[in-house]
Amino acid sequence: MILRTSGGGWQFILAIIGWLAFCDAKAAIKDVPFLQDVSIKFQNAGTVSNTTLRRLEFDRNGVAYVLTDRGVARTFDNTLALDRSFRPLTGLVARDIALGGGELFYLFDDRWLSNGDSGKPLGHLPKGIFTTLAVADHGSVLLAGPGKLTLFRNGTLTEFTSPVGTAPIKLFACGWDFFVLTDDEILRV
């Protein structure tokens, strides 16, 4: 079938086609670039390959620190490697790490410390007793080990009766308060 129109008919058909194209373009959603969540896998440096990752903490600068069975590692761009930036700690394997006031604290066999001010604050402990710590904003440190719960404040260790449970207790700090999580209760210290 052939459409025959007079001279003004073509103009009318072109006007309708133009109007339809304009309406269609206006109704379409404009394609604009946007940020999209993606997963970034960190590459493990040779020193942390085949290690057990135990805990993840972020300091006030957003640096990720990871407690491993070989020591404390941190991220360098997209690579996870053992942290050797604080030389006195090189070669030592931390038992636990925690944040306090935005600074990273380490628990070793015989002491806890922060690398925020060149190894200060620092507290000396009986060797091999404590396995986990939490740090409050005022600088007090709560420590726990099998059958032990101790508060380190102003250079003094104060021992508490440790909660009884089958699972190891977990310590948390929020502001100036400490909390202990057992397998069946939450305690405020």
Side-chain angles (χ1 to χ4, degrees), residues 20 102 139:
L20 289 173

Side-chain angles (χ1 to χ4, degrees), residues 20-184:
L20 289 173
F22 173 76
C23 288
D24 187 44
K26 192 172 182 180
I29 297 172
K30 186 178 179 183
D31 190 16
V32 294
F34 61 95
L35 295 176
Q36 186 171 355
D37 293 333
V38 295
S39 172
I40 298 172
K41 183 174 182 175
F42 289 90
Q43 299 297 318
N44 289 340
T47 56
V48 291
S49 61
N50 299 321
T51 61
T52 302
L53 307 179
R54 296 182 176 161
R55 187 167 180 165
L56 173 66
E57 294 286 351
F58 293 88
D59 71 2
R60 72 175 67 189
N61 299 316
V63 177
Y65 290 87
V66 180
L67 178 65
T68 75
D69 57 349
R70 293 189 191 158
V72 177
R74 64 169 280 189
T75 56
F76 299 92
D77 294 324
N78 289 341
T79 303
L80 180 66
L82 287 178
D83 184 15
R84 304 203 188 284
S85 58
F86 191 53
R87 290 182 191 229
L89 301 182
T90 301
L92 296 177
V93 177
R95 297 180 127 208
D96 195 16
I97 59 174
L99 283 184
E103 297 292 337
L104 188 69
F105 284 74
Y106 301 82
L107 174 63
F108 295 104
D109 282 339
D110 60 349
R111 66 189 175 266
W112 61 265
L113 62 90
S114 171
N115 69 349
D117 286 325
S118 300
K120 297 195 171 136
L122 163 73
H124 293 281
L125 305 168
K127 189 172 184 164
I129 293 178
F130 301 105
T131 57
T132 186
L133 82 161
V135 183
D137 286 348
H138 55 71
S140 295
V141 177
L142 186 64
L143 302 143
K148 292 278 187 186
L149 183 64
T150 303
L151 179 67
F152 190 99
R153 182 183 309 182
N154 299 326
T156 304
L157 287 172
T158 304
E159 193 167 323
F160 297 103
T161 303
S162 182
V164 179
T166 56
I169 62 175
K170 296 179 182 173
L171 305 179
F172 300 90
C174 181
W176 286 38
D177 297 321
F178 289 109
F179 297 89
V180 177
L181 177 67
T182 70
D183 50 357
D184 63 354

